Amino acid sequence: MSGPTAPAGPVGAPGLELRELECFLVLSEELHFGRTGERLYVSQSRVSQLLRALESRIGARLVDRTSRRVRLTPLGEEFHASLRPAYDALRATVEGARTAARGIEGRLTVGFQGTADDWIMRAIDAFHARHPGCATQIVEIPLCDPFGALRSGAVDVAVTLLPVAEPDLVLGPVFSAQRQTVALSVRHPLASRASLSAEELAGLPLIAPDGPAPVYWRTAQAPLATPEGRPVPAGPRVSTLQEGLTLTAAGRGGMLLCRPTADYHGRRDVAFVPVTGLPDSVLGVVHHAARETARVRAFTAAVREVTAAGTSPRPRHRPDTANGEARHGR
């Protein structure tokens, strides 16, 4: 594991060298002079020299060293706790300036559930037009785990169904409010109806996403009660949209989907009946609070620009997902 790297130079107090702070931080992690030297590409004696210089400037010992162990003094522990966030903030500031100087580059990975609709594809087009040096990868995230890929770092941003109430995640622009339909087997008595009221869902088992999606999110996609409080039976839980549609076709329950997804995933053995009296299905762009980068901010800005235009895109035909492109829906 490589240690922090930065050029030597004055930082704040007169005569204070960044290299000394860098050496102290790495030593605080390794608690070994030899390994610290290896990470910093300097000799063990140079590590000792840098530490002594820092302690001399502070006026107290920061590290206790014996023949058996190396450990931080109480003052060293306090100094490390204060120094680490300040050092990381300084590095982030420098990196931000470098990014601004050379433009948005690298790769941005966007996660979606089910299919990626034209709002997102237009946002990606706008992002590429502004930042041609940044490649965009589009990947599907499981219906049953809307936030896991963000937490693992598998995606930089995710387009997920609302609500989002996660303390470590940031909800950006919301868009694509769509009327809901209920997917039913064509053999179901309600399948021939032109529309249903939300109260008519009472008694109909609703197929819901499974965990690890949080309970509040799952119940938003498959309510346990109608707006007037009548109970709605819990149906099977599924991991993917296709599992849900397959169980729907088999008559195991109904599944709430927005209108564009119903149009996109139309099949002969499933009917999609509009439902009145339910909140619209809404999407949001989400990223991890600890991983907000210039790429993430630029993509979020592109989504805001596209949604602010206010023109609903026309539905596209089903894409070739084998090439890494997909359309969105739920």
Side-chain angles (χ1 to χ4, degrees), residues 162-304:
L162 270 55
V164 177
E166 304 297 302
D168 58 332
L169 304 181
V170 177
L171 175 62
V174 298
F175 60 98
S176 194
Q178 301 286 347
R179 184 180 179 184
Q180 299 209 57
T181 71
V182 62
L184 297 168
S185 167
V186 293
R187 301 186 303 274
H188 194 280
L190 298 176
S192 60
R193 293 277 298 275
S195 66
L196 296 174
S197 72
E199 296 305 313
E200 290 180 281
L201 297 178
L204 173 65
L206 286 182
I207 297 169
D210 204 350
V215 173
Y216 77 84
W217 189 88
R218 285 188 268 133
T219 55
Q221 316 313 321
L224 299 178
T226 68
E228 294 183 5
R230 301 173 65 191
V232 176
R237 293 183 178 180
V238 297
S239 296
T240 68
L241 179 59
Q242 290 304 319
E243 286 180 18
L245 289 173
T246 300
L247 289 175
T248 297
R252 299 286 298 279
M255 189 174 188
L256 290 175
L257 300 171
C258 72
R259 181 77 258 176
T261 299
D263 293 339
Y264 182 87
H265 290 281
R267 44 190 292 174
R268 290 189 298 270
D269 51 1
V270 175
F272 298 93
V273 182
V275 181
T276 61
L278 287 179
D280 286 344
S281 176
V282 183
L283 295 174
V285 178
V286 186
H287 69 270
H288 199 286
R291 302 191 187 98
E292 182 176 312
T293 64
R295 291 187 293 272
V296 170
R297 289 191 293 271
F299 181 75
T300 300
V303 174
R304 285 198 176 96

Side-chain angles (χ1 to χ4, degrees), residues 25-96:
L25 288 171
V26 176
L27 182 60
S28 299
E29 296 174 8
E30 296 292 345
L31 296 178
H32 190 281
F33 280 70
R35 290 194 298 270
T36 298
E38 290 174 1
R39 283 179 56 178
L40 296 175
Y41 301 101
V42 299
S43 66
Q44 184 171 329
S45 62
R46 177 59 175 159
V47 173
S48 298
Q49 181 185 17
L50 290 168
L51 177 63
R52 286 196 303 270
L54 179 60
E55 291 177 328
S56 177
R57 297 179 201 282
I58 291 176
R61 293 184 64 82
L62 300 174
V63 176
D64 282 333
R65 178 184 186 184
T66 69
S67 59
R68 291 188 175 184
R69 64 185 300 182
V70 175
R71 65 181 179 182
L72 299 182
T73 65
L75 178 61
E77 295 280 3
E78 293 179 12
F79 184 60
H80 178 267
S82 298
L83 176 62
R84 170 52 72 185
Y87 184 89
D88 290 343
L90 177 60
R91 284 174 56 83
T93 299
V94 173
E95 183 59 31

Side-chain angles (χ1 to χ4, degrees), residues 118-119 122 175-176 178 304-314:
D118 287 87
W119 292 105
R122 287 173 60 184
F175 60 98
S176 194
Q178 301 286 347
R304 285 198 176 96
E305 176 187 318
V306 168
T307 55
T311 303
S312 179
R314 292 182 300 172

